[in-house]
Amino acid sequence: MHRFNWRELREWMGMTRADGCVYLALLACIALFVGQDWWGDALLSLGAVGLCTGACVLGMKSDPEFED
């Protein structure tokens, strides 16, 4: 009998740390359209790029369970 894997369910539902970074980056991009200050827009865009880069690092780390 196959045992239930909670980690696989969280990944399938988009509830991992990497997904959280992407969701925060999306909120920062949405806030770019609301803001009127160029300085705030610059900080939000840098934050969005940083969060997406962090999501790549978190999402691509090796996991011995899935390496086969």
Side-chain angles (χ1 to χ4, degrees):
M1 184 171 174
H2 182 68
R3 71 176 183 82
F4 192 73
N5 190 349
W6 287 102
R7 186 178 185 280
E8 188 174 347
L9 178 66
R10 281 194 317 262
E11 184 140 352
W12 183 77
M13 293 181 69
M15 295 172 37
T16 61
R17 289 184 192 132
D19 295 322
C21 286
V22 172
Y23 298 146
L24 288 174
L26 180 64
L27 287 175
C29 288
I30 292 170
L32 284 170
F33 291 104
V34 178
Q36 300 293 325
D37 183 24
W38 70 271
W39 184 248
D41 289 347
L43 289 176
L44 283 171
S45 62
L46 286 175
V49 169
L51 283 167
C52 284
T53 304
C56 289
V57 171
L58 286 174
M60 287 193 288
K61 68 180 180 179
S62 64
D63 189 355
E65 183 180 347
F66 297 114
E67 282 187 3
D68 292 339

